[in-house]
Amino acid sequence: MSSPPSPGRKTLPARGQPWSELHDALSALRSADTDWRHGRDSLDVYYAGEDVLDVARRAYAMFISENARAPQFPSLQRMQDDLLQISLSLLGGGREAAGTVTIGNAESALLAVRSAYRAFRARRPQVRRPHLLVPASVHPVYEQAADMMGLELIRVAIGGDYRASVQTIGQCIEAETMMIVASAPSLPFGTIDPIEALGRIARDRDVWLHVDACIGGFLAPHVARIVPAVPRFDLSLPGVRSLAADLHKFGYAANGVSVLLYADADDQAHQLFEYDQWPKGLWRSQTLSGTLAGGAVASAWAVMHYLGETGYRTLAQRVMHLRDRYLEGIERISGLHVLGQPDLSVIAFGSDEFDIHAIGDAMQARSWHISRLTAPAALHMTVTPVHDQAVEAYLDDLARCVLAARS
């Protein structure tokens, strides 16, 4: 007999509720959420229009119950193979390259760090505590990976251009350095680190270089066709051994599907975990999660084929045009300045004249979702196609908030 629930704890309803009631309840719950369909979200939703969303939704629903990791669904394995082949073709994978579909940046980072660690241990078993060497702008998920694996992570200062400093990283590499992580672009500043130069150092010093392209991986290849100045960052660069990119960002898939790519399949082999000392026999996995939502994989596959190269390039042109409108509008507002020179769609801007976070509070009061930086203090956003509905309204409200702060 089970014990009674604690007072005040949510319990199952005594009777099931019809969908009409549940729909109303869900609508009420989401009433306070950010209106991302009209461009008022600054960071977490990548919306390319109702047609793309509908394709993703329909594909997801077709495979909502399937686990893409399970062998009895070869359709989903075929889709994953297609996603990886397309990703490798976009991101510089040669004949020896390979990859894995993951559930997101966190899993990709953990797997990349584990692979680098096992490769390092195979070469240098005598090193007591290997470490990761990263620019200060790298995502904290690598801190999390190091913490989970009992590794040290050393953050070093970035340059005045808000990019990793090649000189500083080169000076900090030691015998214990097992991995360097670079961003394409960094989430705080939107700048692509000098990965070509870092690759040369990594190769010369025999250190694993991983590229976090979770934001830019499925945007930059299309932008590079129209903006030649986009810095190189992919697997084709000597020294780059692994790269992560999120399909649920600028791939416009449903949440929960990403790729981790390796320049050499031999490096991917370090991901493999096997165990057979239990009643069911051999258990083998290349990932951390035993479940990968079949719907997420199907949505990515469907959206990629729906948009094609032409569709992605059109969206990339739209994003960069919007990015430029935001940059120009921000720079026109006296007292504001953009941090660095963002390469893709992430923008951060601050002020030397007034409290930029107070401006953020005022914008939030006007129903904008505001993302912030703390060091240096700044406001922050990722421009997506949906922002074409909101750019002028955002800039107008921003100018009003700055004017109010001045007075």
Side-chain angles (χ1 to χ4, degrees):
M1 181 176 178
S2 60
S3 58
S6 301
R9 178 165 292 168
K10 178 76 173 179
T11 62
L12 279 170
R15 295 190 184 90
Q17 296 172 261
W19 169 245
S20 59
E21 292 181 13
L22 296 173
H23 179 272
D24 290 345
L26 290 168
S27 297
L29 285 169
R30 77 185 309 184
S31 63
D33 292 355
T34 301
D35 182 12
W36 52 264
R37 270 188 171 85
H38 294 94
R40 301 187 81 87
D41 185 82
S42 63
L43 191 62
D44 294 314
V45 179
Y46 295 78
Y47 174 57
E50 284 299 304
D51 60 328
V52 180
L53 182 62
D54 188 56
V55 168
R57 183 191 292 116
R58 288 170 181 260
Y60 199 110
M62 287 182 67
F63 291 86
I64 195 169
S65 296
E66 286 86 345
N67 177 4
R69 303 259 195 252
Q72 62 266 41
F73 304 118
S75 60
L76 287 163
Q77 186 56 61
R78 170 64 185 273
M79 286 184 237
Q80 290 178 80
D81 291 343
D82 286 350
L83 293 178
L84 290 169
Q85 291 301 315
I86 293 170
S87 300
L88 288 167
S89 70
L90 286 169
L91 293 165
R95 289 187 177 182
E96 304 303 319
T100 304
V101 177
T102 72
I103 61 175
N105 187 17
E107 185 177 39
S108 295
L110 287 161
L111 291 171
V113 172
R114 182 172 183 268
S115 296
Y117 173 76
R118 294 181 74 179
F120 183 88
R121 276 287 178 226
R123 299 191 325 275
R124 302 178 188 172
Q126 74 282 0
V127 175
R128 188 179 63 84
R129 195 181 187 200
H131 66 241
L132 289 73
L133 182 62
V134 305
S137 52
V138 154
H139 197 286
V141 73
Y142 297 94
E143 205 90 42
Q144 181 184 22
D147 179 71
M148 292 177 70
M149 296 180 62
L151 301 169
E152 185 180 3
L153 183 142
I154 299 173
R155 285 183 179 263
V156 299
I158 58 175
D161 58 356
Y162 299 98
R163 304 175 196 273
S165 167
V166 176
Q167 181 179 9
T168 301
I169 288 177
Q171 291 172 344
C172 292
I173 293 175
E174 301 173 343
E176 293 79 16
T177 306
M178 69 171 222
M179 187 184 211
I180 300 168
V181 181
S183 303
S186 72
L187 177 58
F189 307 114
T191 47
I192 295 176
D193 289 328
I195 292 165
E196 189 167 7
L198 290 172
R200 289 193 291 269
I201 291 176
R203 183 184 53 184
D204 292 345
R205 304 289 291 273
D206 195 18
V207 176
W208 188 298
L209 174 59
H210 172 73
V211 175
D212 184 335
C214 284
I215 300 173
F218 290 103
L219 176 61
H222 306 293
V223 171
R225 301 284 183 101
I226 54 177
V227 182
V230 175
R232 295 180 63 198
F233 66 91
D234 64 20
L235 295 172
S236 66
L237 293 175
V240 174
R241 291 176 67 167
S242 57
L243 180 150
D246 286 349
L247 283 156
H248 54 236
K249 291 190 171 70
F250 285 101
Y252 304 108
N255 274 314
V257 58
S258 306
V259 293
L260 172 60
L261 309 176
Y262 294 87
D264 193 316
D266 288 344
D267 282 339
Q268 186 192 26
H270 292 295
Q271 274 187 211
L272 183 64
F273 178 84
E274 293 183 344
Y275 186 78
D276 61 3
Q277 299 303 304
W278 72 313
K280 203 171 181 301
L282 178 63
W283 185 80
R284 177 185 287 119
S285 177
Q286 283 200 345
T287 56
L288 299 175
S289 171
T291 301
L292 173 62
V297 170
S299 79
W301 187 93
V303 168
M304 275 195 156
H305 287 81
Y306 174 74
L307 286 173
E309 187 173 336
T310 302
Y312 276 112
R313 192 178 306 175
T314 299
L315 287 167
Q317 287 177 313
R318 190 164 139 199
V319 166
M320 296 304 285
H321 175 67
L322 287 166
R323 193 270 321 251
D324 290 344
R325 286 170 67 187
Y326 276 105
L327 291 176
E328 291 163 5
I330 291 164
E331 293 284 12
R332 281 199 305 266
I333 299 173
S334 178
L336 299 182
H337 62 266
V338 174
L339 275 57
Q341 295 181 317
D343 292 302
L344 296 171
S345 67
V346 177
I347 297 170
F349 60 94
S351 175
D352 296 327
E353 296 185 25
F354 38 75
D355 181 358
I356 194 66
H357 287 170
I359 301 299
D361 293 341
M363 290 289 285
Q364 201 125 346
R366 291 171 177 262
S367 300
W368 298 97
H369 172 262
I370 299 298
S371 175
R372 305 167 192 249
L373 306 185
T374 56
L379 303 185
H380 174 262
M381 68 187 305
T382 300
V383 180
T384 67
V386 73
H387 286 108
D388 59 4
Q389 302 179 54
V391 56
E392 297 305 331
Y394 180 94
L395 293 171
D396 287 347
D397 278 354
L398 183 61
R400 291 188 184 100
C401 293
V402 169
L403 183 63
R406 287 185 180 280
S407 60

